[in-house]
Amino acid sequence: MQQELLFKVLVIGDLGVGKTSIIKRYVHQIFSQHYRATIGVDFALKVLQWDNDTVIRLQLWDIAGALMVFDVTRASTFDAVLKWKDDLDSKVTLNHGKPVPTVLLANKSDQLTSQQPKLDSFCRENGFVGWFETSAKENTNIEEAASCLVEHILNNEDSPVIERDPSTLVLSGYTSSTKDHLNCSSCLKW
């Protein structure tokens, strides 16, 4: 008998970092230069046939304010990452009290003019499970990030999310799968 699972995933970060572009690329395989700022809440649904026995439905929620996204071309959006992380951790935890797994997306990597500094130690020191350089425009690492996310959620399935603030939606994060990752430098397992 096939099981069907539903996971809610927040996609958060500063205005203009590419949250909507990442969701549209992942769910609809489209990219546009001309998105308007999201007002309120937008969400999309992606259905995955994970294996022969499991169908997974991902609800990706795009809110003004948890894949955690910053724009590699604007340092201020990286500076805001810890504010977003603290806000998430203060509102949502897993059943055993640990923070919800959160991944950092260094978005717009197609516009890099120099090598992005390593984020491994930043992620370890600040409670992220890993990071990916992504580009919604070029469809770089979006699928890989989502697969890692699902794998991590499945690993934590016996630890339900506790919402400290009932108005807050749930879940962000992923960790490495053994396939399709960036030389283990951007996917970390602890």
Side-chain angles (χ1 to χ4, degrees), residues 19-30 35 42:
K19 299 180 300 292
T20 299
S21 294
I22 286 170
I23 291 171
K24 299 267 190 212
R25 172 61 81 180
Y26 181 58
V27 174
H28 305 293
Q29 291 303 312
I30 59 172
Y35 291 122
D42 188 15

Side-chain angles (χ1 to χ4, degrees), residues 122-141:
F122 176 84
C123 288
R124 267 193 301 275
E125 292 165 10
N126 294 290
F128 291 90
V129 296
W131 65 277
F132 275 95
E133 286 186 347
T134 59
S135 169
K137 181 178 183 179
E138 295 182 353
N139 198 17
T140 305
N141 293 324

Side-chain angles (χ1 to χ4, degrees), residues 5-174:
L5 304 170
L6 172 66
F7 299 124
K8 295 178 182 177
V9 179
L10 287 179
V11 181
I12 62 178
D14 274 4
L15 181 69
V17 297
K19 299 180 300 292
T20 299
S21 294
I22 286 170
I23 291 171
K24 299 267 190 212
R25 172 61 81 180
Y26 181 58
V27 174
H28 305 293
Q29 291 303 312
I30 59 172
F31 176 81
S32 172
Q33 300 274 21
H34 307 292
Y35 291 122
R36 285 188 242 147
T38 301
I39 306 298
V41 176
D42 188 15
F43 101 62
L45 181 68
K46 175 82 171 188
V47 179
L48 304 171
Q49 182 69 50
W50 188 250
D51 56 32
N52 289 336
D53 301 320
T54 311
V55 171
I56 295 175
R57 295 179 181 278
L58 291 181
Q59 285 182 355
L60 294 119
W61 294 80
D62 180 3
I63 62 171
L67 304 173
M68 188 89 44
V69 185
F70 75 96
D71 178 344
V72 297
T73 68
R74 294 188 304 147
S76 64
T77 66
F78 178 74
D79 295 340
V81 161
L82 292 181
K83 172 187 67 79
W84 288 111
K85 180 76 165 79
D86 289 343
D87 192 42
L88 177 67
D89 291 349
S90 72
K91 292 184 170 83
V92 186
T93 61
L94 295 176
N95 198 14
H96 48 63
K98 289 187 178 177
V100 174
T102 306
V103 72
L104 186 60
L105 299 185
N107 197 39
K108 302 187 184 179
S109 62
D110 56 285
Q111 298 179 28
L112 282 177
T113 55
S114 63
Q115 192 65 270
Q116 180 69 20
K118 294 289 182 195
L119 292 173
D120 295 348
S121 61
F122 176 84
C123 288
R124 267 193 301 275
E125 292 165 10
N126 294 290
F128 291 90
V129 296
W131 65 277
F132 275 95
E133 286 186 347
T134 59
S135 169
K137 181 178 183 179
E138 295 182 353
N139 198 17
T140 305
N141 293 324
I142 306 295
E143 292 285 335
E144 294 83 352
S147 292
C148 288
L149 169 62
V150 169
E151 194 170 300
H152 190 73
I153 292 170
L154 288 170
N155 289 339
N156 282 317
E157 198 176 359
D158 59 344
S159 300
V161 170
I162 296 173
E163 298 179 40
R164 293 184 183 157
D165 176 349
S167 67
T168 303
L169 301 171
V170 285
L171 209 54
S172 160
Y174 55 79

